[in-house]
Amino acid sequence: MPRYIFITGGVVSSLGKGLASAAIGALLQARGYKVRLRKLDPYLNVDPGTMSPYQHGECYVTDDGAEADLDLGHYERFTGVAASQADNITTGRIYSRIIERERRGDYLGATVQVIPHVTDQIKQFVLSDAGDVDFVLCEIGGTVGDIEGLPFFEAIRQLGQELGDDNAVFLHVTLLPFIKVAGEMKTKPTQHSVKELRSIGIQPDILLCRCEIPIPPGDKRKIGRFCNVKESAVIEGRDAASLYDVPLEYHSQGLDTEILRCFGIDDAPAPDLSRWQAISETIANPDGEVTIGVVGKYVGLLDAYKSLIEALAHGGIANGVKVKLKWLDSEQFEKDDPFEPLEDVHGVLVPGGFGERGVEGKIAAARFARERKVPFFGICYGMQMAVLEAARNLAGVDNAVSTEFSDSGESVIGLLTEWTRGNEVETRTAGDDMGGTMRLGAYPAVLKEGSKVREIYGEAHIEERHRHRYEVNVGYKDKLEACGLTFSGLSPDGVLPEIVEISDHPWFVGVQFHPELKSRPFEPHPLFASFIAAALHQSRMV
Ligand code: GLN
């Protein structure tokens, strides 16, 4: 049976609990253990698929088609373990299951209640399908004290008791703020947060204290004494220069050793951190720099592009260079001289997105990159906009649109109403629910012999993760190909355009899927590695 690590957060949100969980997973892996990471989200949405990226950040997509919290992206990038539907649950999902069962009559006359029905369902989720792993790490979203989090805390409290001390460890991520005017680090918010946790019956074993400066001598003992944890279990978690330094930093503070000690494991093999050290050195000592202009509509909250930012950094790691990002609001881009802000970039990337706002700015950016022969990477909506640009300006379809933003004009991009998943046919109509109804998860594509993407991937059959409701109408293939926009990747049945490219261009690729979701620091995605290589080439030409 696996051992369980429950990770909670206190004082404020955004302390990097997800990153801390991912880093702990990586440290345990470095000692030869197998891990699995799960996220429990207390909000009422069934999944984050319908939540605004402005509020919730990116919606991560797994191979099996879950629309999941972005922390699952951290987990996958740090551990390389593919997450699944079974690794993210929300209050909304739990309640919808319970209410469905209640309507069916499964409770046989019982009064259905938060305790025990909701808490039992949470416990079942935590314990189910863990697979053959040594440790399951469960991160609870939100902050201790949130009303909506209570059933989750109660469930893990019960699990702690049922699993026993040797099989369950509670780690609390907290904040030690530094008050500049007083010149002092303050421990009181952490004491209060632990008090809150203890009032619901959870005594943390370890405190991971996020701070900007080192914890002053004596303060660890003080925190330990007032929070009822050992001094050695008060771990300093300072901000790191790079995300990929976090496992090394936490290890140097003794975090993984302390976790193992709490489980009573004192003969664990020493961790092999060589690959983390190597990556940290590559990031700290880049051999050059490229600037990529990212033309998107959610640039006000960069969490909306979490995996994209990381995949671009991985592309930099693959080429030994730093990737600087110049964020350009696609809407702003419609008003101003569109080309001016792009003059100094070495590559243009138009990421995924939804809705009408900013589409013309994205189309303008694709045009700039095509005409000026600047490397261009269009992802999902970005690919669709590149197709519209080519249709309008190369193929003479002046009124080319997507039905996502206009019903007057020629719908070169239209609603995806039928496709196959394995042997199943999926169908959709315009009136369907918004939640969970897109074409989601991993789908295969076949790459055209002799194309640029075929060379980049080095294989003819690929599988990438999707999340879209509209698609390029394959009926325009011949017309667009005659103008130089090659359909170099198609679904195996040849019906769904997956990749377009321009061969008479240094690097112009649009993909209907999200390659950023599968990029890893140790295995940069080939498209990102190749795009950054092209940008590097571009930077050396100007
Ligand atoms: N809005 C587009 C669609 O639904 C693209 C989606 C995306 O970029 N993820 O097809």
Side-chain angles (χ1 to χ4, degrees):
M1 202 185 85
R3 293 176 164 97
Y4 286 83
I5 304 172
F6 297 106
I7 296 136
T8 58
V11 185
V12 291
S13 56
S14 301
L15 286 180
K17 274 197 316 275
L19 202 57
S21 307
I24 296 167
L27 288 173
L28 292 169
Q29 270 186 336
R31 291 179 184 260
Y33 294 112
K34 275 196 184 160
V35 298
R36 175 148 197 177
L37 288 98
R38 289 186 157 160
K39 177 87 195 275
L40 289 75
D41 278 312
Y43 52 74
L44 280 175
N45 304 64
V46 170
D47 60 42
T50 51
M51 289 161 94
S52 162
Y54 265 131
Q55 272 197 28
H56 194 70
E58 155 189 284
C59 172
Y60 194 71
V61 182
T62 59
D63 278 334
D64 63 353
E67 293 183 285
D69 187 79
L70 59 77
D71 279 329
L72 269 72
H74 287 311
Y75 304 165
E76 282 203 12
R77 284 187 285 275
F78 275 66
T79 65
V81 178
S84 78
Q85 299 266 9
D87 294 319
N88 191 194
I89 194 117
T90 67
T91 299
R93 191 175 294 279
I94 287 170
Y95 272 75
S96 58
R97 272 187 204 163
I98 290 176
I99 290 168
E100 202 180 292
R101 292 182 57 193
E102 189 276 333
R103 292 290 79 188
R104 240 188 0 235
D106 286 2
Y107 293 105
L108 296 172
T111 307
V112 184
Q113 293 177 301
V114 173
I115 299 171
H117 298 98
V118 171
T119 45
D120 280 355
Q121 194 78 47
I122 297 170
K123 282 159 66 180
Q124 197 185 324
F125 165 78
V126 169
L127 298 174
S128 65
D129 280 343
D132 171 30
V133 298
D134 302 300
F135 292 95
V136 176
L137 284 73
C138 286
E139 179 194 345
I140 320 294
T143 307
V144 59
D146 296 344
I147 290 176
E148 58 187 15
L150 281 173
F152 290 87
F153 285 99
E154 171 60 13
I156 62 169
R157 182 195 69 74
Q158 291 181 18
L159 280 171
Q161 199 192 37
E162 288 162 25
L163 294 163
D165 288 351
D166 283 351
N167 293 311
V169 160
F170 291 90
L171 184 146
H172 192 53
V173 184
T174 173
L175 177 70
L176 294 177
F178 179 73
I179 308 295
K180 270 203 202 89
V181 282
E184 259 188 295
M185 182 182 263
K186 292 292 177 189
T187 65
K188 195 80 82 188
T190 291
Q191 294 180 43
H192 279 292
S193 178
V194 173
K195 188 170 159 222
E196 185 75 34
L197 204 52
R198 292 175 66 191
S199 75
I200 47 183
I202 296 174
Q203 168 62 54
D205 299 294
I206 297 174
L207 297 178
L208 175 59
C209 303
R210 300 281 290 111
C211 47
E212 287 171 70
I213 57 160
I215 302 179
D219 272 19
K220 278 194 182 177
R221 192 173 331 121
K222 175 173 152 190
I223 296 167
R225 184 173 300 145
F226 293 133
C227 296
N228 200 29
V229 301
K230 280 191 284 178
E231 185 180 344
S232 62
V234 179
I235 308 287
E236 177 180 299
R238 260 200 290 162
D239 298 343
S242 146
L243 289 188
Y244 301 112
D245 288 340
V246 172
L248 296 172
E249 298 269 338
Y250 286 179
H251 173 69
S252 73
Q253 295 300 323
L255 178 58
D256 46 330
T257 311
E258 197 60 35
I259 291 173
L260 293 167
R261 197 179 293 152
C262 289
F263 281 114
I265 302 172
D266 42 26
D267 56 351
D272 174 5
L273 295 170
S274 49
R275 63 181 198 150
W276 290 99
Q277 270 140 3
I279 211 159
S280 171
E281 268 160 43
T282 310
I283 295 170
N285 305 298
D287 185 15
E289 180 179 290
V290 294
T291 304
I292 303 297
V294 184
V295 183
K297 106 173 184 196
Y298 313 114
V299 294
L301 179 73
L302 296 187
D303 263 4
Y305 298 113
K306 195 89 224 161
S307 294
L308 181 75
I309 295 170
E310 290 313 305
L312 284 162
H314 304 161
I317 293 169
N319 290 281
V321 294
K322 181 174 162 71
V323 178
K324 258 180 69 181
L325 303 180
K326 182 170 180 181
W327 295 98
L328 299 163
D329 182 343
S330 51
E331 217 176 355
Q332 193 59 33
F333 212 61
E334 289 168 1
K335 297 175 201 144
D336 303 339
D337 169 10
F339 295 166
E340 200 276 322
L342 289 174
E343 290 295 343
D344 60 346
V345 303
H346 309 121
V348 176
L349 191 147
V350 180
F354 293 85
E356 185 180 355
R357 207 156 49 73
V359 288
E360 293 302 329
K362 293 180 177 186
I363 292 173
R367 179 172 195 172
F368 170 88
R370 180 179 59 78
E371 291 181 344
R372 299 282 286 269
K373 298 216 181 292
V374 176
F376 173 85
F377 197 178
I379 295 180
C380 208
Y381 215 22
M383 174 260 206
Q384 296 176 358
M385 295 308 109
V387 170
L388 290 186
E389 192 280 316
R392 289 181 188 179
N393 302 318
L394 292 177
V397 188
D398 298 346
N399 58 351
V401 292
S402 163
T403 47
E404 178 165 1
F405 63 83
S406 170
D407 19 305
S408 59
E410 248 186 79
S411 55
V412 173
I413 295 159
L415 185 70
L416 186 53
T417 51
E418 193 174 298
W419 69 91
T420 51
R421 174 163 206 128
N423 296 324
E424 309 265 303
V425 177
E426 302 247 5
T427 50
R428 299 285 186 273
T429 66
D432 281 345
D433 283 354
M434 292 296 272
T437 54
M438 281 189 256
R439 181 171 178 245
L440 290 167
Y443 280 91
V446 181
L447 309 185
K448 188 172 174 170
E449 188 68 50
S451 63
K452 188 190 287 285
V453 288
R454 173 85 170 74
E455 184 194 318
I456 294 170
Y457 275 96
E459 53 194 333
H461 298 271
I462 59 162
E463 233 185 53
E464 293 281 4
R465 298 184 190 173
H466 293 68
R467 182 172 186 252
H468 64 120
R469 209 182 292 285
Y470 297 84
E471 57 151 351
V472 176
N473 183 340
V474 77
Y476 287 89
K477 179 169 177 284
D478 293 346
K479 200 170 196 173
L480 287 164
E481 289 200 325
C483 306
L485 189 76
T486 309
F487 285 46
S488 51
L490 291 168
S491 56
D493 59 6
V495 178
L496 302 178
E498 291 278 5
I499 309 180
V500 294
E501 65 180 61
I502 297 178
S503 30
D504 181 23
H505 188 284
W507 209 99
F508 192 104
V509 176
V511 295
Q512 182 57 78
F513 45 82
H514 290 276
E516 71 274 24
L517 301 176
K518 278 176 70 171
S519 188
R520 312 272 176 265
F522 302 111
E523 284 169 75
H525 192 286
L527 286 174
F528 281 93
S530 174
F531 174 58
I532 297 301
L536 189 58
H537 185 71
Q538 179 81 9
S539 75
R540 290 184 177 147
M541 283 186 355
V542 288

